[in-house]
Amino acid sequence: MALVLGIETSCDDTAAAVIDENFHVHSSVVESSIEQHQAFGGVVPELAGRAHVTTIAPVVRRALLDAGLDPTSPALTGVAVTSGPGLIGSLLVGLSSAKALALAWDLPYVGVNHLEGHLFAPLLEARDLEWPLMTLLVSGGHSLIVFQRGPGQHVVLGETIDDAAGEAYDKVARWLGLGYPGGPEIDRLAGEGSSKALKLPVSMIGDEYDFSFSGLKTAVVRATQANHEVALADVAASFQAALTEQLVRKLRSSLEHYEVKGVALAGGVAANSALRAGVTRLATEFGLVTHLPTMAMCTDNAAMIAAAGMYHLERGEASGLDLSARPNWHLTDVS
Ligand code: KG4
Ligand code: ZN
């Protein structure tokens, strides 16, 4: 049985996981340093890097033990690690660890693109996935619409021209005096408010499939400055509805032009209740299957990195020890 150890340290989560060639997850451990960043309203790169240094070894050990493997000499067939995009200091901790382990255990290893990892997440929960697939990948750092012919075969149709969707949630939450990360709190509050309370723009700026969220964020600031009486829950509901509307409209446009069998969500914002409902409605209208990952698979984890790594290692695409971290590695540059 082929077993790959995945390692993910691109942002604030230190993660390790073991999966097999059938994409069964044998273990998945995620240790977040988010509490250290909360006082600053966002991830502090230096703190994130230092946290990975102290956490990486115990997290890898736990993932190996949970998978029933000997942590000193595990019966693995390869190692996969996120080598970009992400925070340079954080990426280097995972990459150096993966290189050291691969060298010590005499295993091939491969550097994986973090976004390609997110695209593999639905495969870990629905192995009978039918292709092609349209995926909306929305997280704190990225927002993309991706057409996937099959695993590892992706075309980026559009992406954000300014803020990522999760970043917009986090910035609006900060403006409203809510905690970090702001997405879950806005989502909760939105359930108690009216989405019609504030008239906010649904931006259709940019190319057909591109997104723009910074205008919406400014509109929320202006609207709340002009109306001090408006309830927090109503602001949250109005903002969430406008942001979701843009995502769903662009997704609809992609489904009108590309023939697919299903629609998938990926990334942290995929946990959003309004987005999950909107995308499910849209897919049903088009007669398509919806793939909504569980929360653990929406957010950063190493099982998805191991899955992308398994795909590349099976094709003999191992990396050399001279591989560098690529903080700005774009999904379109993944070969
Ligand atoms: O994928 P992720 O864990 O980390 C990366 O950015 O790679 O995504 C985190 C983002 C944060 O911006 C957070 O506010 C957002 O996902 N998020 C949500 C929800 N849960 C997490 N946004 C909206 N609604 C949610 N329920
Ligand atoms: Zn991510």
Side-chain angles (χ1 to χ4, degrees), residues 10-13 114 118 137-142 165-170 180-188 240 266-273 295 298-300:
S10 65
C11 192
D12 61 305
D13 292 315
H114 178 81
H118 273 300
L137 201 179
V138 273
S139 72
H142 307 274
E167 193 180 356
Y169 267 99
D170 296 337
Y180 173 83
E185 186 58 6
I186 291 189
D187 195 0
R188 193 192 60 76
Q240 180 158 295
V269 183
N272 185 263
S273 58
M295 191 59 202
C298 290
T299 51
D300 290 348

PDB file of all heavy atoms in Angstrom, residues 10-13 114 118 137-142 165-170 180-188 240 266-273 295 298-300, ligand 1:
ATOM      1  N   SER A  10       1.898  26.635   5.556  1.00  0.00           N
ATOM      2  CA  SER A  10       1.985  27.863   4.743  1.00  0.00           C
ATOM      3  C   SER A  10       1.516  29.125   5.460  1.00  0.00           C
ATOM      4  O   SER A  10       1.892  30.225   5.100  1.00  0.00           O
ATOM      5  CB  SER A  10       1.210  27.686   3.443  1.00  0.00           C
ATOM      6  OG  SER A  10      -0.163  27.540   3.715  1.00  0.00           O
ATOM      7  N   CYS A  11       0.650  28.951   6.496  1.00  0.00           N
ATOM      8  CA  CYS A  11       0.128  30.132   7.196  1.00  0.00           C
ATOM      9  C   CYS A  11       0.224  29.910   8.708  1.00  0.00           C
ATOM     10  O   CYS A  11       1.321  29.771   9.234  1.00  0.00           O
ATOM     11  CB  CYS A  11      -1.286  30.423   6.712  1.00  0.00           C
ATOM     12  SG  CYS A  11      -1.901  32.029   7.227  1.00  0.00           S
ATOM     13  N   ASP A  12      -0.897  29.866   9.420  1.00  0.00           N
ATOM     14  CA  ASP A  12      -0.837  29.736  10.884  1.00  0.00           C
ATOM     15  C   ASP A  12      -1.087  28.320  11.377  1.00  0.00           C
ATOM     16  O   ASP A  12      -0.967  28.058  12.574  1.00  0.00           O
ATOM     17  CB  ASP A  12      -1.860  30.681  11.531  1.00  0.00           C
ATOM     18  CG  ASP A  12      -3.261  30.353  11.101  1.00  0.00           C
ATOM     19  OD1 ASP A  12      -3.500  30.311   9.877  1.00  0.00           O
ATOM     20  OD2 ASP A  12      -4.124  30.121  11.953  1.00  0.00           O
ATOM     21  N   ASP A  13      -1.445  27.388  10.481  1.00  0.00           N
ATOM     22  CA  ASP A  13      -1.706  26.010  10.914  1.00  0.00           C
ATOM     23  C   ASP A  13      -0.501  25.119  10.644  1.00  0.00           C
ATOM     24  O   ASP A  13       0.017  25.101   9.530  1.00  0.00           O
ATOM     25  CB  ASP A  13      -2.909  25.420  10.157  1.00  0.00           C
ATOM     26  CG  ASP A  13      -4.212  26.099  10.528  1.00  0.00           C
ATOM     27  OD1 ASP A  13      -4.442  26.314  11.726  1.00  0.00           O
ATOM     28  OD2 ASP A  13      -4.984  26.432   9.613  1.00  0.00           O
ATOM     29  N   HIS A 114      -0.113  24.934  -2.492  1.00  0.00           N
ATOM     30  CA  HIS A 114      -1.172  24.924  -1.474  1.00  0.00           C
ATOM     31  C   HIS A 114      -2.580  24.961  -2.100  1.00  0.00           C
ATOM     32  O   HIS A 114      -3.499  24.277  -1.627  1.00  0.00           O
ATOM     33  CB  HIS A 114      -0.964  26.136  -0.550  1.00  0.00           C
ATOM     34  CG  HIS A 114      -1.996  26.282   0.502  1.00  0.00           C
ATOM     35  ND1 HIS A 114      -1.968  25.569   1.680  1.00  0.00           N
ATOM     36  CD2 HIS A 114      -3.115  27.044   0.559  1.00  0.00           C
ATOM     37  CE1 HIS A 114      -3.018  25.895   2.413  1.00  0.00           C
ATOM     38  NE2 HIS A 114      -3.734  26.787   1.753  1.00  0.00           N
ATOM     39  N   HIS A 118      -5.888  22.401  -1.959  1.00  0.00           N
ATOM     40  CA  HIS A 118      -7.315  22.667  -1.695  1.00  0.00           C
ATOM     41  C   HIS A 118      -8.200  21.999  -2.753  1.00  0.00           C
ATOM     42  O   HIS A 118      -9.286  21.511  -2.446  1.00  0.00           O
ATOM     43  CB  HIS A 118      -7.582  24.177  -1.706  1.00  0.00           C
ATOM     44  CG  HIS A 118      -7.368  24.849  -0.373  1.00  0.00           C
ATOM     45  ND1 HIS A 118      -8.075  24.508   0.761  1.00  0.00           N
ATOM     46  CD2 HIS A 118      -6.535  25.863  -0.001  1.00  0.00           C
ATOM     47  CE1 HIS A 118      -7.682  25.271   1.773  1.00  0.00           C
ATOM     48  NE2 HIS A 118      -6.742  26.101   1.349  1.00  0.00           N
ATOM     49  N   LEU A 137     -12.881  28.287  -5.058  1.00  0.00           N
ATOM     50  CA  LEU A 137     -11.890  28.175  -3.977  1.00  0.00           C
ATOM     51  C   LEU A 137     -11.798  29.536  -3.279  1.00  0.00           C
ATOM     52  O   LEU A 137     -11.273  30.492  -3.861  1.00  0.00           O
ATOM     53  CB  LEU A 137     -10.542  27.794  -4.597  1.00  0.00           C
ATOM     54  CG  LEU A 137      -9.478  27.144  -3.742  1.00  0.00           C
ATOM     55  CD1 LEU A 137      -8.253  26.839  -4.586  1.00  0.00           C
ATOM     56  CD2 LEU A 137      -9.066  27.948  -2.544  1.00  0.00           C
ATOM     57  N   VAL A 138     -12.358  29.613  -2.088  1.00  0.00           N
ATOM     58  CA  VAL A 138     -12.434  30.903  -1.394  1.00  0.00           C
ATOM     59  C   VAL A 138     -11.869  30.783   0.027  1.00  0.00           C
ATOM     60  O   VAL A 138     -12.409  30.060   0.849  1.00  0.00           O
ATOM     61  CB  VAL A 138     -13.894  31.428  -1.342  1.00  0.00           C
ATOM     62  CG1 VAL A 138     -14.233  32.231  -2.581  1.00  0.00           C
ATOM     63  CG2 VAL A 138     -14.908  30.309  -1.182  1.00  0.00           C
ATOM     64  N   SER A 139     -10.764  31.502   0.274  1.00  0.00           N
ATOM     65  CA  SER A 139     -10.144  31.422   1.606  1.00  0.00           C
ATOM     66  C   SER A 139      -9.727  32.820   2.069  1.00  0.00           C
ATOM     67  O   SER A 139     -10.097  33.821   1.464  1.00  0.00           O
ATOM     68  CB  SER A 139      -8.937  30.495   1.549  1.00  0.00           C
ATOM     69  OG  SER A 139      -7.894  31.109   0.846  1.00  0.00           O
ATOM     70  N   GLY A 140      -8.915  32.853   3.132  1.00  0.00           N
ATOM     71  CA  GLY A 140      -8.460  34.146   3.644  1.00  0.00           C
ATOM     72  C   GLY A 140      -7.441  34.797   2.722  1.00  0.00           C
ATOM     73  O   GLY A 140      -7.257  36.008   2.739  1.00  0.00           O
ATOM     74  N   GLY A 141      -6.775  34.002   1.902  1.00  0.00           N
ATOM     75  CA  GLY A 141      -5.737  34.543   1.021  1.00  0.00           C
ATOM     76  C   GLY A 141      -6.062  34.475  -0.457  1.00  0.00           C
ATOM     77  O   GLY A 141      -5.387  35.115  -1.270  1.00  0.00           O
ATOM     78  N   HIS A 142      -7.099  33.725  -0.835  1.00  0.00           N
ATOM     79  CA  HIS A 142      -7.342  33.492  -2.263  1.00  0.00           C
ATOM     80  C   HIS A 142      -8.828  33.401  -2.577  1.00  0.00           C
ATOM     81  O   HIS A 142      -9.614  32.995  -1.733  1.00  0.00           O
ATOM     82  CB  HIS A 142      -6.673  32.193  -2.705  1.00  0.00           C
ATOM     83  CG  HIS A 142      -5.219  32.150  -2.355  1.00  0.00           C
ATOM     84  ND1 HIS A 142      -4.252  32.673  -3.149  1.00  0.00           N
ATOM     85  CD2 HIS A 142      -4.593  31.691  -1.255  1.00  0.00           C
ATOM     86  CE1 HIS A 142      -3.079  32.537  -2.578  1.00  0.00           C
ATOM     87  NE2 HIS A 142      -3.254  31.938  -1.414  1.00  0.00           N
ATOM     88  N   ALA A 165     -12.022  36.746  -0.538  1.00  0.00           N
ATOM     89  CA  ALA A 165     -13.331  36.765   0.116  1.00  0.00           C
ATOM     90  C   ALA A 165     -13.191  36.698   1.644  1.00  0.00           C
ATOM     91  O   ALA A 165     -13.828  37.467   2.380  1.00  0.00           O
ATOM     92  CB  ALA A 165     -14.180  35.608  -0.385  1.00  0.00           C
ATOM     93  N   GLY A 166     -12.328  35.809   2.127  1.00  0.00           N
ATOM     94  CA  GLY A 166     -12.135  35.678   3.580  1.00  0.00           C
ATOM     95  C   GLY A 166     -11.513  36.940   4.173  1.00  0.00           C
ATOM     96  O   GLY A 166     -11.838  37.332   5.304  1.00  0.00           O
ATOM     97  N   GLU A 167     -10.641  37.565   3.385  1.00  0.00           N
ATOM     98  CA  GLU A 167     -10.004  38.812   3.830  1.00  0.00           C
ATOM     99  C   GLU A 167     -11.080  39.894   3.989  1.00  0.00           C
ATOM    100  O   GLU A 167     -11.046  40.692   4.939  1.00  0.00           O
ATOM    101  CB  GLU A 167      -8.999  39.206   2.740  1.00  0.00           C
ATOM    102  CG  GLU A 167      -8.006  40.262   3.092  1.00  0.00           C
ATOM    103  CD  GLU A 167      -7.068  40.536   1.900  1.00  0.00           C
ATOM    104  OE1 GLU A 167      -7.149  39.853   0.856  1.00  0.00           O
ATOM    105  OE2 GLU A 167      -6.278  41.482   2.038  1.00  0.00           O
ATOM    106  N   ALA A 168     -12.047  39.929   3.062  1.00  0.00           N
ATOM    107  CA  ALA A 168     -13.142  40.910   3.152  1.00  0.00           C
ATOM    108  C   ALA A 168     -13.957  40.646   4.419  1.00  0.00           C
ATOM    109  O   ALA A 168     -14.302  41.582   5.158  1.00  0.00           O
ATOM    110  CB  ALA A 168     -14.016  40.819   1.911  1.00  0.00           C
ATOM    111  N   TYR A 169     -14.239  39.369   4.698  1.00  0.00           N
ATOM    112  CA  TYR A 169     -14.954  39.029   5.934  1.00  0.00           C
ATOM    113  C   TYR A 169     -14.164  39.520   7.151  1.00  0.00           C
ATOM    114  O   TYR A 169     -14.711  40.132   8.072  1.00  0.00           O
ATOM    115  CB  TYR A 169     -15.154  37.505   6.046  1.00  0.00           C
ATOM    116  CG  TYR A 169     -16.465  37.024   5.479  1.00  0.00           C
ATOM    117  CD1 TYR A 169     -16.535  36.468   4.204  1.00  0.00           C
ATOM    118  CD2 TYR A 169     -17.636  37.143   6.219  1.00  0.00           C
ATOM    119  CE1 TYR A 169     -17.746  36.029   3.685  1.00  0.00           C
ATOM    120  CE2 TYR A 169     -18.850  36.707   5.713  1.00  0.00           C
ATOM    121  CZ  TYR A 169     -18.896  36.157   4.444  1.00  0.00           C
ATOM    122  OH  TYR A 169     -20.104  35.734   3.942  1.00  0.00           O
ATOM    123  N   ASP A 170     -12.860  39.244   7.140  1.00  0.00           N
ATOM    124  CA  ASP A 170     -12.029  39.599   8.300  1.00  0.00           C
ATOM    125  C   ASP A 170     -11.930  41.112   8.482  1.00  0.00           C
ATOM    126  O   ASP A 170     -11.955  41.623   9.604  1.00  0.00           O
ATOM    127  CB  ASP A 170     -10.629  38.972   8.165  1.00  0.00           C
ATOM    128  CG  ASP A 170     -10.684  37.449   8.194  1.00  0.00           C
ATOM    129  OD1 ASP A 170     -11.673  36.907   8.740  1.00  0.00           O
ATOM    130  OD2 ASP A 170      -9.756  36.805   7.672  1.00  0.00           O
ATOM    131  N   TYR A 180     -11.123  38.057  15.457  1.00  0.00           N
ATOM    132  CA  TYR A 180     -10.449  37.501  14.280  1.00  0.00           C
ATOM    133  C   TYR A 180     -10.321  35.996  14.440  1.00  0.00           C
ATOM    134  O   TYR A 180      -9.982  35.557  15.547  1.00  0.00           O
ATOM    135  CB  TYR A 180      -9.057  38.117  14.114  1.00  0.00           C
ATOM    136  CG  TYR A 180      -8.241  37.466  13.029  1.00  0.00           C
ATOM    137  CD1 TYR A 180      -8.425  37.848  11.701  1.00  0.00           C
ATOM    138  CD2 TYR A 180      -7.352  36.436  13.315  1.00  0.00           C
ATOM    139  CE1 TYR A 180      -7.709  37.227  10.693  1.00  0.00           C
ATOM    140  CE2 TYR A 180      -6.637  35.805  12.308  1.00  0.00           C
ATOM    141  CZ  TYR A 180      -6.821  36.206  11.007  1.00  0.00           C
ATOM    142  OH  TYR A 180      -6.111  35.591  10.011  1.00  0.00           O
ATOM    143  N   PRO A 181     -10.539  35.180  13.443  1.00  0.00           N
ATOM    144  CA  PRO A 181     -11.040  35.537  12.120  1.00  0.00           C
ATOM    145  C   PRO A 181     -12.525  35.880  12.157  1.00  0.00           C
ATOM    146  O   PRO A 181     -13.276  35.322  12.957  1.00  0.00           O
ATOM    147  CB  PRO A 181     -10.780  34.272  11.295  1.00  0.00           C
ATOM    148  CG  PRO A 181     -10.762  33.160  12.288  1.00  0.00           C
ATOM    149  CD  PRO A 181     -10.282  33.740  13.593  1.00  0.00           C
ATOM    150  N   GLY A 182     -12.936  36.796  11.275  1.00  0.00           N
ATOM    151  CA  GLY A 182     -14.280  37.369  11.373  1.00  0.00           C
ATOM    152  C   GLY A 182     -15.372  36.592  10.666  1.00  0.00           C
ATOM    153  O   GLY A 182     -16.556  36.781  10.967  1.00  0.00           O
ATOM    154  N   GLY A 183     -14.987  35.710   9.730  1.00  0.00           N
ATOM    155  CA  GLY A 183     -15.996  35.005   8.939  1.00  0.00           C
ATOM    156  C   GLY A 183     -17.033  34.262   9.768  1.00  0.00           C
ATOM    157  O   GLY A 183     -18.228  34.487   9.609  1.00  0.00           O
ATOM    158  N   PRO A 184     -16.586  33.398  10.691  1.00  0.00           N
ATOM    159  CA  PRO A 184     -17.562  32.625  11.464  1.00  0.00           C
ATOM    160  C   PRO A 184     -18.520  33.510  12.274  1.00  0.00           C
ATOM    161  O   PRO A 184     -19.717  33.227  12.370  1.00  0.00           O
ATOM    162  CB  PRO A 184     -16.674  31.788  12.404  1.00  0.00           C
ATOM    163  CG  PRO A 184     -15.350  31.706  11.715  1.00  0.00           C
ATOM    164  CD  PRO A 184     -15.194  32.998  10.965  1.00  0.00           C
ATOM    165  N   GLU A 185     -18.017  34.615  12.828  1.00  0.00           N
ATOM    166  CA  GLU A 185     -18.847  35.496  13.663  1.00  0.00           C
ATOM    167  C   GLU A 185     -19.861  36.258  12.792  1.00  0.00           C
ATOM    168  O   GLU A 185     -21.027  36.400  13.174  1.00  0.00           O
ATOM    169  CB  GLU A 185     -17.922  36.483  14.413  1.00  0.00           C
ATOM    170  CG  GLU A 185     -18.601  37.370  15.424  1.00  0.00           C
ATOM    171  CD  GLU A 185     -19.351  36.622  16.541  1.00  0.00           C
ATOM    172  OE1 GLU A 185     -19.273  35.388  16.635  1.00  0.00           O
ATOM    173  OE2 GLU A 185     -20.059  37.322  17.306  1.00  0.00           O
ATOM    174  N   ILE A 186     -19.432  36.743  11.629  1.00  0.00           N
ATOM    175  CA  ILE A 186     -20.371  37.423  10.721  1.00  0.00           C
ATOM    176  C   ILE A 186     -21.440  36.433  10.258  1.00  0.00           C
ATOM    177  O   ILE A 186     -22.629  36.760  10.214  1.00  0.00           O
ATOM    178  CB  ILE A 186     -19.615  38.045   9.516  1.00  0.00           C
ATOM    179  CG1 ILE A 186     -18.765  39.222  10.001  1.00  0.00           C
ATOM    180  CG2 ILE A 186     -20.603  38.476   8.423  1.00  0.00           C
ATOM    181  CD1 ILE A 186     -18.145  40.068   8.927  1.00  0.00           C
ATOM    182  N   ASP A 187     -21.014  35.214   9.943  1.00  0.00           N
ATOM    183  CA  ASP A 187     -21.947  34.168   9.498  1.00  0.00           C
ATOM    184  C   ASP A 187     -23.015  33.934  10.573  1.00  0.00           C
ATOM    185  O   ASP A 187     -24.219  33.869  10.280  1.00  0.00           O
ATOM    186  CB  ASP A 187     -21.135  32.886   9.246  1.00  0.00           C
ATOM    187  CG  ASP A 187     -21.900  31.846   8.443  1.00  0.00           C
ATOM    188  OD1 ASP A 187     -23.056  32.101   8.077  1.00  0.00           O
ATOM    189  OD2 ASP A 187     -21.331  30.765   8.190  1.00  0.00           O
ATOM    190  N   ARG A 188     -22.583  33.839  11.836  1.00  0.00           N
ATOM    191  CA  ARG A 188     -23.510  33.596  12.941  1.00  0.00           C
ATOM    192  C   ARG A 188     -24.480  34.766  13.117  1.00  0.00           C
ATOM    193  O   ARG A 188     -25.690  34.590  13.189  1.00  0.00           O
ATOM    194  CB  ARG A 188     -22.712  33.378  14.232  1.00  0.00           C
ATOM    195  CG  ARG A 188     -23.510  32.811  15.396  1.00  0.00           C
ATOM    196  CD  ARG A 188     -22.753  32.898  16.706  1.00  0.00           C
ATOM    197  NE  ARG A 188     -22.404  34.264  17.097  1.00  0.00           N
ATOM    198  CZ  ARG A 188     -23.243  35.149  17.609  1.00  0.00           C
ATOM    199  NH1 ARG A 188     -24.499  34.823  17.794  1.00  0.00           N
ATOM    200  NH2 ARG A 188     -22.824  36.367  17.935  1.00  0.00           N
ATOM    201  N   GLN A 240     -22.954  39.902   4.027  1.00  0.00           N
ATOM    202  CA  GLN A 240     -22.828  38.490   3.620  1.00  0.00           C
ATOM    203  C   GLN A 240     -23.651  38.209   2.360  1.00  0.00           C
ATOM    204  O   GLN A 240     -23.186  37.497   1.465  1.00  0.00           O
ATOM    205  CB  GLN A 240     -23.292  37.580   4.767  1.00  0.00           C
ATOM    206  CG  GLN A 240     -23.210  36.104   4.447  1.00  0.00           C
ATOM    207  CD  GLN A 240     -23.160  35.250   5.704  1.00  0.00           C
ATOM    208  OE1 GLN A 240     -22.207  35.321   6.469  1.00  0.00           O
ATOM    209  NE2 GLN A 240     -24.186  34.462   5.916  1.00  0.00           N
ATOM    210  N   ALA A 266     -14.237  24.978  -1.894  1.00  0.00           N
ATOM    211  CA  ALA A 266     -12.994  24.704  -1.160  1.00  0.00           C
ATOM    212  C   ALA A 266     -12.530  25.978  -0.473  1.00  0.00           C
ATOM    213  O   ALA A 266     -12.936  27.085  -0.855  1.00  0.00           O
ATOM    214  CB  ALA A 266     -11.918  24.207  -2.132  1.00  0.00           C
ATOM    215  N   GLY A 267     -11.680  25.834   0.564  1.00  0.00           N
ATOM    216  CA  GLY A 267     -11.173  27.003   1.293  1.00  0.00           C
ATOM    217  C   GLY A 267     -12.045  27.335   2.496  1.00  0.00           C
ATOM    218  O   GLY A 267     -13.190  26.866   2.600  1.00  0.00           O
ATOM    219  N   GLY A 268     -11.516  28.149   3.413  1.00  0.00           N
ATOM    220  CA  GLY A 268     -12.192  28.452   4.669  1.00  0.00           C
ATOM    221  C   GLY A 268     -13.584  29.057   4.518  1.00  0.00           C
ATOM    222  O   GLY A 268     -14.499  28.747   5.297  1.00  0.00           O
ATOM    223  N   VAL A 269     -13.784  29.905   3.511  1.00  0.00           N
ATOM    224  CA  VAL A 269     -15.090  30.569   3.322  1.00  0.00           C
ATOM    225  C   VAL A 269     -16.144  29.562   2.847  1.00  0.00           C
ATOM    226  O   VAL A 269     -17.345  29.822   2.934  1.00  0.00           O
ATOM    227  CB  VAL A 269     -14.957  31.782   2.371  1.00  0.00           C
ATOM    228  CG1 VAL A 269     -16.266  32.523   2.229  1.00  0.00           C
ATOM    229  CG2 VAL A 269     -13.874  32.750   2.870  1.00  0.00           C
ATOM    230  N   ALA A 270     -15.686  28.387   2.393  1.00  0.00           N
ATOM    231  CA  ALA A 270     -16.628  27.331   1.998  1.00  0.00           C
ATOM    232  C   ALA A 270     -17.462  26.855   3.184  1.00  0.00           C
ATOM    233  O   ALA A 270     -18.451  26.157   3.025  1.00  0.00           O
ATOM    234  CB  ALA A 270     -15.870  26.155   1.388  1.00  0.00           C
ATOM    235  N   ALA A 271     -17.051  27.256   4.404  1.00  0.00           N
ATOM    236  CA  ALA A 271     -17.825  26.907   5.601  1.00  0.00           C
ATOM    237  C   ALA A 271     -19.041  27.831   5.759  1.00  0.00           C
ATOM    238  O   ALA A 271     -19.912  27.578   6.578  1.00  0.00           O
ATOM    239  CB  ALA A 271     -16.935  27.037   6.839  1.00  0.00           C
ATOM    240  N   ASN A 272     -19.078  28.906   4.971  1.00  0.00           N
ATOM    241  CA  ASN A 272     -20.139  29.907   5.146  1.00  0.00           C
ATOM    242  C   ASN A 272     -21.530  29.358   4.781  1.00  0.00           C
ATOM    243  O   ASN A 272     -21.725  28.810   3.691  1.00  0.00           O
ATOM    244  CB  ASN A 272     -19.807  31.139   4.284  1.00  0.00           C
ATOM    245  CG  ASN A 272     -20.794  32.261   4.515  1.00  0.00           C
ATOM    246  OD1 ASN A 272     -21.737  32.403   3.760  1.00  0.00           O
ATOM    247  ND2 ASN A 272     -20.598  33.008   5.578  1.00  0.00           N
ATOM    248  N   SER A 273     -22.495  29.579   5.683  1.00  0.00           N
ATOM    249  CA  SER A 273     -23.817  28.976   5.496  1.00  0.00           C
ATOM    250  C   SER A 273     -24.538  29.541   4.269  1.00  0.00           C
ATOM    251  O   SER A 273     -25.157  28.794   3.509  1.00  0.00           O
ATOM    252  CB  SER A 273     -24.667  29.171   6.751  1.00  0.00           C
ATOM    253  OG  SER A 273     -24.793  30.549   7.035  1.00  0.00           O
ATOM    254  N   MET A 295     -16.030  20.896   7.400  1.00  0.00           N
ATOM    255  CA  MET A 295     -15.249  22.035   7.889  1.00  0.00           C
ATOM    256  C   MET A 295     -13.742  21.717   7.904  1.00  0.00           C
ATOM    257  O   MET A 295     -12.912  22.527   7.489  1.00  0.00           O
ATOM    258  CB  MET A 295     -15.736  22.378   9.301  1.00  0.00           C
ATOM    259  CG  MET A 295     -15.206  23.678   9.838  1.00  0.00           C
ATOM    260  SD  MET A 295     -15.672  25.047   8.765  1.00  0.00           S
ATOM    261  CE  MET A 295     -14.446  26.231   9.220  1.00  0.00           C
ATOM    262  N   CYS A 298     -12.430  22.013   4.507  1.00  0.00           N
ATOM    263  CA  CYS A 298     -12.506  23.373   3.922  1.00  0.00           C
ATOM    264  C   CYS A 298     -11.246  24.143   4.298  1.00  0.00           C
ATOM    265  O   CYS A 298     -10.614  24.789   3.466  1.00  0.00           O
ATOM    266  CB  CYS A 298     -13.686  24.164   4.484  1.00  0.00           C
ATOM    267  SG  CYS A 298     -15.295  23.612   3.984  1.00  0.00           S
ATOM    268  N   THR A 299     -10.914  24.084   5.585  1.00  0.00           N
ATOM    269  CA  THR A 299      -9.786  24.889   6.078  1.00  0.00           C
ATOM    270  C   THR A 299      -8.470  24.146   5.862  1.00  0.00           C
ATOM    271  O   THR A 299      -8.452  22.989   5.454  1.00  0.00           O
ATOM    272  CB  THR A 299      -9.989  25.229   7.571  1.00  0.00           C
ATOM    273  OG1 THR A 299     -10.262  24.012   8.253  1.00  0.00           O
ATOM    274  CG2 THR A 299     -11.140  26.180   7.772  1.00  0.00           C
ATOM    275  N   ASP A 300      -7.357  24.829   6.161  1.00  0.00           N
ATOM    276  CA  ASP A 300      -6.051  24.261   5.879  1.00  0.00           C
ATOM    277  C   ASP A 300      -5.803  22.959   6.637  1.00  0.00           C
ATOM    278  O   ASP A 300      -6.070  22.879   7.839  1.00  0.00           O
ATOM    279  CB  ASP A 300      -4.957  25.279   6.219  1.00  0.00           C
ATOM    280  CG  ASP A 300      -4.974  26.435   5.239  1.00  0.00           C
ATOM    281  OD1 ASP A 300      -5.664  26.332   4.200  1.00  0.00           O
ATOM    282  OD2 ASP A 300      -4.296  27.442   5.487  1.00  0.00           O
TER     283      ASP A 300
HETATM  284  O1  KG4 B   1      -8.644  28.352   4.163  1.00  0.00           O
HETATM  285  P1  KG4 B   1      -8.460  29.081   5.470  1.00  0.00           P
HETATM  286  O2  KG4 B   1      -8.569  28.277   6.738  1.00  0.00           O
HETATM  287  O3  KG4 B   1      -7.049  29.762   5.534  1.00  0.00           O
HETATM  288  C1  KG4 B   1      -6.470  30.384   4.428  1.00  0.00           C
HETATM  289  O4  KG4 B   1      -6.757  31.574   4.242  1.00  0.00           O
HETATM  290  O5  KG4 B   1      -5.760  29.660   3.663  1.00  0.00           O
HETATM  291  O6  KG4 B   1      -9.511  30.285   5.474  1.00  0.00           O
HETATM  292  C2  KG4 B   1      -9.625  31.201   6.541  1.00  0.00           C
HETATM  293  C3  KG4 B   1     -10.659  32.239   6.156  1.00  0.00           C
HETATM  294  C4  KG4 B   1     -10.736  33.404   7.118  1.00  0.00           C
HETATM  295  O7  KG4 B   1     -10.676  34.603   6.381  1.00  0.00           O
HETATM  296  C5  KG4 B   1     -12.094  33.221   7.797  1.00  0.00           C
HETATM  297  O8  KG4 B   1     -12.694  34.444   8.203  1.00  0.00           O
HETATM  298  C6  KG4 B   1     -12.884  32.555   6.706  1.00  0.00           C
HETATM  299  O9  KG4 B   1     -11.979  31.657   6.085  1.00  0.00           O
HETATM  300  N1  KG4 B   1     -14.059  31.807   7.240  1.00  0.00           N
HETATM  301  C7  KG4 B   1     -15.323  32.140   6.980  1.00  0.00           C
HETATM  302  C8  KG4 B   1     -16.142  31.233   7.708  1.00  0.00           C
HETATM  303  N2  KG4 B   1     -15.319  30.380   8.386  1.00  0.00           N
HETATM  304  C9  KG4 B   1     -14.029  30.740   8.076  1.00  0.00           C
HETATM  305  N3  KG4 B   1     -15.845  33.112   6.201  1.00  0.00           N
HETATM  306  C10 KG4 B   1     -17.185  33.200   6.147  1.00  0.00           C
HETATM  307  N4  KG4 B   1     -18.026  32.389   6.822  1.00  0.00           N
HETATM  308  C11 KG4 B   1     -17.560  31.399   7.604  1.00  0.00           C
HETATM  309  N5  KG4 B   1     -18.413  30.603   8.266  1.00  0.00           N
END
